[in-house]
Structures are given as structure tokens and as C-alpha cells.
Amino acid sequence: MAAAENKTRENDGDVNAFIANVEHDGRRADAMELLDMFKDITGEEPKIWGHSIVGFGSYHYKYDSGREGDMCRSGFSPRKQNLSLYILGCTSEQENIAKQSELLEKLGPHKRGSSCLYITRLDRIDRGILAELIAFDKEAMDNKYPR
């Protein structure tokens, strides 16, 4: 049986056009701010992944099950209900769990998934702490998935 192909792949979509088409003015403004923040912190150029993720950099993963693929190292998606930030990818390492928890306690209102951080608006969180989280995730990803 052939392995299923990942649905979320890097493509040649126009990042600026994607953000310009975000319907809600506040969400669009937050996406522009996140675009600049991620570019500055990661040093990567943004790419569209799938239909709705602005990703920065990429890495190749392989699970014990044999499933493997490529994904962005970090990124965000300006979804209708919230901003989804893909910056919690290295939470399995014990030393990373403690540092991330410490930063998340200071961030402000958010929800969390396994590798995602969900926030409603940037003006409700501490942007400095968010920048620290993005930088911390970049360092952890670089250590776990060297280039």
C-alpha cells in the first residue's frame, strides 16, 4: 500500500495576496504584523503551505511508524475564529516543556494544541513574549532538525 501524500505542502502561492484577501480588517492587520515578526526572527522568507498557512523554513520529519514528510518549521494561519501559530513543534523535549510553559504563562489569553498556539488578537497578548516564543521554537527546531 502506498503511503498517503501530505495535504499540507509548500506551494507557489502569493503570501501578500493571501494576506490581502483575509476578510476581517483586524485579522488582516494582525497577519501583516505576524508576517514581519516571523521574517525578522526566523530569517526565512514566507511561503504558502497548503491553502492557508504562511510558513517559514522547512524540515523533513520521520515518525517511528514510517510516515514521513516535509512541513514548515514555523508559521501562522489567520483563520476566521483565531490566529493559529505553529510555534510549539518541539514540546516533547523535557527542557523545552518547562521553558515554553514559563513563556506561555506570561503571554496572555491563548489556547494551545499539540503544536499550535491559538490567540484571538495580537492586542490581547504580550508581543514581546510572543517574539520570545517564536525565537525559542526556532532554536529548538534548529537543534532537533539541523539544516
Side-chain angles (χ1 to χ4, degrees), residues 18-35 52 54 76-85 117-124:
F18 168 72
I19 292 174
N21 285 318
V22 171
E23 190 173 325
H24 187 272
D25 292 341
R27 184 80 69 229
R28 187 170 48 256
D30 283 350
M32 288 302 299
E33 186 174 338
L34 287 171
L35 179 68
S52 62
V54 178
F76 68 90
S77 182
R79 302 192 189 276
K80 188 175 256 188
Q81 191 171 26
N82 54 42
L83 295 163
S84 298
L85 293 99
L117 177 67
Y118 304 104
I119 57 175
T120 55
R121 296 190 333 223
L122 290 180
D123 65 2
R124 292 186 173 169

Side-chain angles (χ1 to χ4, degrees), residues 41-43 133-143 147:
I41 294 169
T42 67
L133 277 163
I134 295 168
F136 179 75
D137 183 67
K138 179 193 181 317
E139 181 180 342
M141 288 294 287
D142 288 349
N143 288 335
R147 296 177 192 249

Side-chain angles (χ1 to χ4, degrees), residues 45-64:
E45 287 301 312
K47 302 286 184 180
I48 296 291
W49 285 76
H51 300 290
S52 62
I53 297 173
V54 178
F56 298 84
S58 65
Y59 71 102
H60 186 80
Y61 61 86
K62 186 172 184 177
Y63 297 134
D64 291 339

Side-chain angles (χ1 to χ4, degrees), residues 25 35 57 68 96 105 123 129:
D25 292 341
L35 179 68
E68 61 184 287
N96 294 345
E105 284 179 27
D123 65 2
I129 296 295

